Amino acid sequence: MKAPKDSPTETLEPRSRDADRSQLAILAAAREEFSQLGLAGARMDSIATRAGLNKRLIYYYFGSKDDLFLAVLERTYADIREAEQRLHLDEIEPVEAIRQLVSFTWHYYLEHPEFITLLNSENLHRAAHLKRSERIQEMNSPLVQLLDTVLERGRRENLFHAGVDPVQLYISIASLCYFYLSNNHTLSAIFGRDLRAPKAMAQRLSHMTDLVLGYVLR
Amino acid sequence: MKAPKDSPTETLEPRSRDADRSQLAILAAAREEFSQLGLAGARMDSIATRAGLNKRLIYYYFGSKDDLFLAVLERTYADIREAEQRLHLDEIEPVEAIRQLVSFTWHYYLEHPEFITLLNSENLHRAAHLKRSERIQEMNSPLVQLLDTVLERGRRENLFHAGVDPVQLYISIASLCYFYLSNNHTLSAIFGRDLRAPKAMAQRLSHMTDLVLGYVLR
Amino acid sequence: MKAPKDSPTETLEPRSRDADRSQLAILAAAREEFSQLGLAGARMDSIATRAGLNKRLIYYYFGSKDDLFLAVLERTYADIREAEQRLHLDEIEPVEAIRQLVSFTWHYYLEHPEFITLLNSENLHRAAHLKRSERIQEMNSPLVQLLDTVLERGRRENLFHAGVDPVQLYISIASLCYFYLSNNHTLSAIFGRDLRAPKAMAQRLSHMTDLVLGYVLR
Amino acid sequence: MKAPKDSPTETLEPRSRDADRSQLAILAAAREEFSQLGLAGARMDSIATRAGLNKRLIYYYFGSKDDLFLAVLERTYADIREAEQRLHLDEIEPVEAIRQLVSFTWHYYLEHPEFITLLNSENLHRAAHLKRSERIQEMNSPLVQLLDTVLERGRRENLFHAGVDPVQLYISIASLCYFYLSNNHTLSAIFGRDLRAPKAMAQRLSHMTDLVLGYVLR
DNA sequence: CATGAATGAGGTTTCATTCAT
DNA sequence: GATGAATGAAACCTCATTCAT
């Protein structure tokens, strides 16, 4: 897991622009490939082609397929954490904050389908890559902490009832959004209807919000 | 997907017992392999070895890796549907029925981790295999219908509020149970604690039940 | 090359009708398969399926793929010799006899395309099967002898010139008919026109007849 | 059939010599293998061994067995067309030109037995590969056109009679030479004598020349 | 007479990776 | 920094053939 040179995004010394661009191109290509085909299904050749670069370069920058996969995972987590930073739940009144948290989670997963498939792949491998990551602590979501303060405020304002565990609730919100999208294909096939139709999607968001609010409200 | 002659479980004519046993051994071995390594990661050789049979026989009975994967999927769905048959929600009072549904779902996923990984694999492939299945209609869960009657009873008994969609609720219960187990490895790695510890597991079941009941109860 | 039991066509003792029928079915199926795909390309499984019989039976009756191929070859030669028997060149006047010989050869190849491809396969294998045949002497064409008498008559009637070798002429007639049909696909592809079109076929027969007659006539 | 970059023979830019040499080695090895064993009988392993190269490299350069077969066919046609270029029938008097055409065809087939077996293989496959070739128009023989002018000259000099179709005659000459060599093994086996003996070969060439001249001469 | 079950060897093709420049 | 050439190992799959009944 030796990330050669440095991570392209955090480079401070003025290194070759080309080098950075190449590494980013590889990461982007790898993210697509891994997310569409899984770790075992992904092809180094295909990644090189997608990146428009020579295959040898991938090994030069990332060492191996597994190391590349980890790099993609790290970047994927960095992206969602960055997006979460832009949510300011502490500035919103509690009920609306919950609504926005559900909505944000839903839309983030919706707009970043690769997040779901990459995580599924990593879970299939029992988080073997993540466990070896040196940046694992940076992946912890700030939202859990934030959700805790929202719940606390709601309780003080006598809106929410006591005893709601923020970790459990955070996981539950993720569960509701994640599963519907992650398992959409099998669910649609079995139910025999298109769960991605606009109306079905709107109903789902509404239902999830009701479910979560029904639970936290007194 | 030409299952030779008939499904091995439904055989009536006295066929060679060995043929049935071989097919079942292959299916069991394939289920393990596919669930642990995914479709692309699974190896036909490894499946043959696990089954204690010649590799060629897999092709003789199941045609190809993809067809075998579909056969495993079909059997996996058949298994859960069979287990669901043994739940008699219609004989239980509404609140307890909801509790049992959550509990059943949780424990089924817990005891059948292959269900989760197989479904993840199939979703990675956009349900391509399932869509080709001739038995897809048999995979529809009877629980949705049953849940509908439970909700109806609860409403008539003035316990539940109106307007709860049984499909949405069924999916939500599945979501809550599925995600926690499916994403356990990455969640544990990132939260830095063991979410499979007995205490954490008990808390999770309790939380999920509260969440669902908090929503359906008036 | 142990033909088990006996050849099905020449059975004298009243053996099972089924046995004969099965052997004939296998031979017919094998002829199709070998002629369409060549020796190496042919599949024993496919032959069994074409014959509507169990694959094991092929081995029971014919021993091996190579033995089966030889059996097919022998029957194929027997068929053309039988057809040749029905030509009575000795009863026709010389010029017309030559015409009929060309026409017969042409139409026989045309109506028995398997004859051509089977012979090509056997030649690819340097006649290895044929050389081991015990019936090889029966395959000699009676036409060479017959052609000799026709040429002799033509010469005596002062129609044909002397010194025409019947073997060479027989081979030449075969060449002209065989090649056009055997190489039809590549020739059509390269010339960019359909050499099997009715008009082209008629022209070909006419040309061949002219060529041969132009040579033998004084 | 993606020939990498360019055809090795037409390379202008200074590319790695090894790449060219490797491709040529593969083509030569494949030609031998295919011509001796047919398409289905040929083994990629064997081709790699013959070429002294890694099997993987064949796929790297030629894509698949079928694409390699097409490449061999294209080169084989290119070779004979090149040889035909060296015949200058237009500079020779008509009768001698016909003689030389027969002689050239005969000796070319004789010295390039792979030409015959490769064409037989391709015809077994109904010219499937050739039809996909992008260079198919380059395979048209210039001899047909040349033969036309020879016949025309002969007619003007009152040597040849009118109405001889050059395409038919070209095919006939090919037929006579091709069949004798192509079917030599079966013919020799059945006639019970060696048709490749020097004397038989000389007689054959003489007979063919007589046959063709007997036809075209007034 | 006939068949379904089973197999070892080997087929084409693919893969992550390294070499040489 | 970048690339085309090359490879050993192993993947999926197929084949002629035999076993057991």
Side-chain angles (χ1 to χ4, degrees):
Chain A
M1 293 291 170
K2 33 122 212 199
K5 315 279 171 188
D6 210 345
S7 160
T9 48
E10 298 168 15
T11 307
L12 295 174
E13 333 117 57
R15 257 197 303 113
S16 159
R17 287 274 90 194
D18 281 3
D20 280 6
R21 216 182 306 134
S22 294
Q23 280 175 262
L24 287 171
I26 291 168
L27 276 175
R31 171 139 68 182
E32 279 186 44
E33 179 83 3
F34 284 132
S35 71
Q36 286 170 18
L37 297 162
L39 175 53
R43 299 292 162 243
M44 297 299 271
D45 258 312
S46 177
I47 292 170
T49 304
R50 282 185 200 254
L53 289 167
N54 188 277
K55 191 170 36 164
R56 187 66 189 77
L57 216 53
I58 303 178
Y59 289 91
Y60 180 67
Y61 283 124
F62 295 95
S64 76
K65 193 186 190 186
D66 280 295
D67 288 345
L68 177 59
F69 184 71
L70 173 56
V72 166
L73 271 183
E74 289 177 335
R75 169 156 294 257
T76 299
Y77 271 108
D79 285 350
I80 191 172
R81 293 313 165 228
E82 201 182 324
E84 288 172 348
Q85 300 291 356
R86 291 195 292 270
L87 255 186
H88 295 289
L89 299 184
D90 46 354
E91 300 165 3
I92 313 168
E93 61 96 2
V95 173
E96 183 58 21
I98 296 291
R99 273 186 206 284
Q100 291 216 2
L101 178 54
V102 173
S103 175
F104 167 81
T105 306
W106 173 252
H107 287 107
Y108 191 86
Y109 293 168
L110 192 50
E111 284 153 26
H112 297 84
E114 75 281 3
F115 181 81
I116 287 176
T117 48
L118 289 171
L119 254 63
N120 280 352
S121 288
E122 179 63 356
N123 276 291
L124 182 64
H125 291 271
R126 316 179 79 83
H129 304 84
L130 226 45
K131 281 176 185 162
R132 284 187 279 139
S133 170
E134 293 165 3
R135 307 186 184 174
I136 196 161
Q137 65 278 21
E138 302 168 25
M139 291 172 196
N140 213 319
S141 172
L143 285 191
V144 176
Q145 190 57 39
L146 224 52
L147 179 56
D148 193 23
T149 69
V150 167
L151 289 171
E152 175 63 24
R153 267 195 293 133
R155 205 175 333 130
R156 258 188 280 124
E157 294 178 26
N158 224 0
L159 294 163
F160 297 166
H161 69 81
V164 175
D165 182 336
V167 172
Q168 294 289 355
L169 189 59
Y170 175 77
I171 293 177
S172 289
I173 292 169
S175 302
L176 294 165
C177 299
Y178 190 101
F179 178 86
Y180 188 89
L181 298 171
S182 138
N183 288 43
N184 193 275
H185 295 107
T186 52
L187 290 171
S188 290
I190 285 173
F191 282 126
R193 50 173 156 144
D194 181 12
L195 298 178
R196 302 268 321 205
K199 196 175 165 191
M201 296 292 279
Q203 281 176 348
R204 181 66 194 163
L205 177 54
S206 168
H207 167 82
M208 293 186 301
T209 310
D210 290 351
L211 183 58
V212 172
L213 281 178
Y215 169 64
V216 295
L217 289 170
R218 301 182 49 103
Chain B
M1 183 55 218
K2 33 123 217 197
K5 304 286 169 192
D6 214 343
S7 160
T9 47
E10 300 167 16
T11 307
L12 294 175
E13 328 119 62
R15 253 202 300 140
S16 159
R17 281 285 93 195
D18 285 337
D20 283 3
R21 217 181 305 138
S22 296
Q23 281 172 259
L24 288 171
I26 291 167
L27 277 175
R31 171 140 68 183
E32 280 184 45
E33 180 82 3
F34 284 133
S35 71
Q36 286 169 18
L37 298 161
L39 176 53
R43 300 289 165 243
M44 297 298 271
D45 258 312
S46 175
I47 292 170
T49 303
R50 280 184 201 254
L53 289 166
N54 188 281
K55 187 174 38 166
R56 182 63 186 80
L57 210 56
I58 302 179
Y59 292 91
Y60 182 61
Y61 282 124
F62 295 95
S64 74
K65 194 186 189 185
D66 281 293
D67 286 345
L68 177 59
F69 185 70
L70 173 55
V72 166
L73 273 182
E74 289 179 333
R75 170 154 295 257
T76 298
Y77 271 107
D79 286 349
I80 193 173
R81 294 313 166 227
E82 202 182 323
E84 288 172 348
Q85 301 289 357
R86 290 195 290 271
L87 258 185
H88 294 289
L89 299 185
D90 47 353
E91 299 165 4
I92 313 169
E93 61 96 2
V95 174
E96 182 57 20
I98 297 290
R99 270 186 209 284
Q100 290 215 4
L101 178 54
V102 174
S103 174
F104 167 81
T105 305
W106 173 251
H107 287 107
Y108 192 87
Y109 292 169
L110 193 51
E111 285 153 26
H112 298 84
E114 76 282 3
F115 182 81
I116 288 175
T117 47
L118 289 172
L119 254 64
N120 279 353
S121 288
E122 179 63 356
N123 276 291
L124 181 63
H125 291 271
R126 315 180 79 84
H129 304 83
L130 226 43
K131 282 176 186 162
R132 283 190 289 123
S133 172
E134 292 166 3
R135 309 186 182 175
I136 198 161
Q137 67 276 25
E138 302 167 27
M139 291 171 197
N140 215 318
S141 174
L143 286 191
V144 175
Q145 188 59 39
L146 223 53
L147 179 56
D148 193 24
T149 70
V150 167
L151 289 171
E152 174 65 24
R153 267 195 293 133
R155 206 176 332 132
R156 257 188 281 123
E157 294 178 27
N158 227 358
L159 294 164
F160 298 165
H161 69 83
V164 176
D165 182 336
V167 172
Q168 294 287 358
L169 189 59
Y170 176 78
I171 292 177
S172 289
I173 292 169
S175 302
L176 295 165
C177 298
Y178 190 102
F179 178 85
Y180 188 88
L181 298 171
S182 138
N183 286 42
N184 194 274
H185 296 107
T186 51
L187 290 171
S188 290
I190 284 173
F191 282 128
R193 49 171 158 145
D194 182 11
L195 298 179
R196 302 267 324 203
K199 197 175 164 191
M201 296 292 279
Q203 281 176 348
R204 181 64 193 164
L205 177 54
S206 167
H207 167 80
M208 294 186 302
T209 310
D210 290 351
L211 183 58
V212 173
L213 281 178
Y215 170 64
V216 295
L217 289 171
R218 301 182 50 103
Chain C
M1 293 290 167
K2 33 122 212 197
K5 316 277 171 189
D6 211 346
S7 160
T9 47
E10 299 170 16
T11 308
L12 293 175
E13 333 116 58
R15 257 198 301 116
S16 159
R17 289 272 90 195
D18 281 3
D20 281 5
R21 216 182 306 134
S22 294
Q23 281 174 262
L24 287 171
I26 291 168
L27 277 175
R31 172 140 66 183
E32 279 186 43
E33 179 82 4
F34 285 130
S35 71
Q36 286 169 18
L37 298 161
L39 176 52
R43 300 289 162 246
M44 296 299 271
D45 258 311
S46 177
I47 292 170
T49 303
R50 281 184 200 256
L53 289 168
N54 188 278
K55 190 170 39 163
R56 187 66 189 77
L57 216 53
I58 301 179
Y59 289 92
Y60 180 68
Y61 284 124
F62 296 94
S64 76
K65 193 185 190 186
D66 280 295
D67 288 345
L68 176 59
F69 184 71
L70 174 55
V72 166
L73 272 184
E74 289 176 336
R75 169 156 294 259
T76 298
Y77 270 109
D79 285 351
I80 192 173
R81 293 313 164 228
E82 200 182 326
E84 288 172 346
Q85 301 290 357
R86 291 195 290 271
L87 256 185
H88 294 288
L89 299 184
D90 47 354
E91 300 165 5
I92 314 167
E93 60 97 1
V95 174
E96 183 58 20
I98 296 290
R99 272 186 206 283
Q100 290 217 4
L101 178 54
V102 173
S103 175
F104 167 81
T105 306
W106 173 252
H107 287 106
Y108 191 87
Y109 293 168
L110 192 51
E111 284 152 27
H112 298 85
E114 74 281 3
F115 181 82
I116 288 176
T117 48
L118 289 171
L119 253 64
N120 279 352
S121 288
E122 179 63 356
N123 276 291
L124 182 64
H125 291 271
R126 315 179 79 83
H129 304 84
L130 225 46
K131 281 176 186 162
R132 283 188 279 137
S133 170
E134 293 166 3
R135 310 185 183 176
I136 197 160
Q137 66 278 23
E138 303 168 26
M139 292 171 196
N140 213 319
S141 173
L143 287 190
V144 176
Q145 190 57 41
L146 224 53
L147 179 56
D148 194 22
T149 68
V150 168
L151 290 171
E152 175 63 25
R153 267 194 294 134
R155 207 175 333 131
R156 257 186 281 122
E157 295 177 26
N158 225 1
L159 294 163
F160 299 165
H161 68 82
V164 176
D165 182 337
V167 172
Q168 294 288 357
L169 190 58
Y170 175 77
I171 292 177
S172 289
I173 291 169
S175 302
L176 295 166
C177 298
Y178 190 101
F179 178 85
Y180 189 89
L181 298 171
S182 140
N183 287 43
N184 193 275
H185 296 108
T186 52
L187 290 172
S188 290
I190 285 173
F191 282 127
R193 51 172 155 144
D194 181 12
L195 298 179
R196 302 270 320 205
K199 195 174 165 192
M201 295 293 278
Q203 281 176 348
R204 182 66 194 162
L205 176 55
S206 166
H207 167 82
M208 293 186 302
T209 309
D210 290 352
L211 183 58
V212 172
L213 282 178
Y215 170 63
V216 294
L217 289 170
R218 300 182 50 105
Chain D
M1 183 55 219
K2 34 125 214 194
K5 305 284 170 194
D6 213 342
S7 161
T9 48
E10 300 169 16
T11 306
L12 294 175
E13 327 120 61
R15 253 202 300 141
S16 160
R17 280 286 92 196
D18 284 337
D20 283 2
R21 217 181 304 138
S22 296
Q23 280 172 259
L24 288 172
I26 291 167
L27 277 175
R31 171 139 67 182
E32 279 185 45
E33 179 82 4
F34 285 133
S35 71
Q36 286 169 19
L37 297 161
L39 176 52
R43 301 290 164 242
M44 297 299 271
D45 257 313
S46 175
I47 292 170
T49 303
R50 280 184 201 254
L53 289 167
N54 188 281
K55 186 172 38 165
R56 182 64 186 79
L57 210 56
I58 302 178
Y59 290 91
Y60 182 62
Y61 283 122
F62 295 95
S64 74
K65 194 185 189 184
D66 280 294
D67 286 345
L68 177 59
F69 184 71
L70 174 55
V72 166
L73 273 183
E74 289 178 333
R75 171 155 294 259
T76 298
Y77 271 108
D79 285 350
I80 192 173
R81 293 313 164 228
E82 203 182 324
E84 288 172 346
Q85 301 289 358
R86 291 194 291 270
L87 258 187
H88 295 288
L89 299 185
D90 46 354
E91 300 165 3
I92 312 169
E93 61 96 2
V95 174
E96 182 58 20
I98 298 289
R99 272 186 206 285
Q100 290 216 4
L101 178 54
V102 174
S103 174
F104 167 81
T105 306
W106 173 251
H107 287 107
Y108 191 88
Y109 293 169
L110 193 51
E111 285 153 27
H112 298 85
E114 76 282 2
F115 182 81
I116 288 175
T117 48
L118 289 171
L119 253 64
N120 279 352
S121 288
E122 180 62 354
N123 276 292
L124 182 63
H125 291 271
R126 315 179 79 84
H129 305 85
L130 226 44
K131 282 176 185 162
R132 283 189 290 122
S133 172
E134 293 166 2
R135 307 185 183 176
I136 198 162
Q137 67 275 26
E138 303 169 25
M139 291 171 198
N140 214 318
S141 173
L143 286 191
V144 176
Q145 188 59 38
L146 224 53
L147 179 55
D148 193 24
T149 68
V150 167
L151 290 171
E152 174 64 24
R153 269 193 293 134
R155 205 174 336 131
R156 257 186 283 122
E157 296 178 24
N158 227 357
L159 294 163
F160 298 165
H161 69 83
V164 175
D165 182 336
V167 172
Q168 295 287 357
L169 190 58
Y170 176 77
I171 292 177
S172 289
I173 291 169
S175 302
L176 294 165
C177 299
Y178 190 102
F179 178 85
Y180 189 88
L181 298 170
S182 139
N183 288 41
N184 195 275
H185 297 107
T186 52
L187 291 172
S188 290
I190 285 174
F191 282 127
R193 50 172 156 144
D194 181 13
L195 297 178
R196 302 268 322 204
K199 196 175 166 193
M201 296 292 279
Q203 281 176 347
R204 182 66 193 163
L205 176 55
S206 168
H207 166 80
M208 294 186 302
T209 310
D210 290 350
L211 182 58
V212 172
L213 281 178
Y215 169 64
V216 294
L217 290 170
R218 294 181 56 104

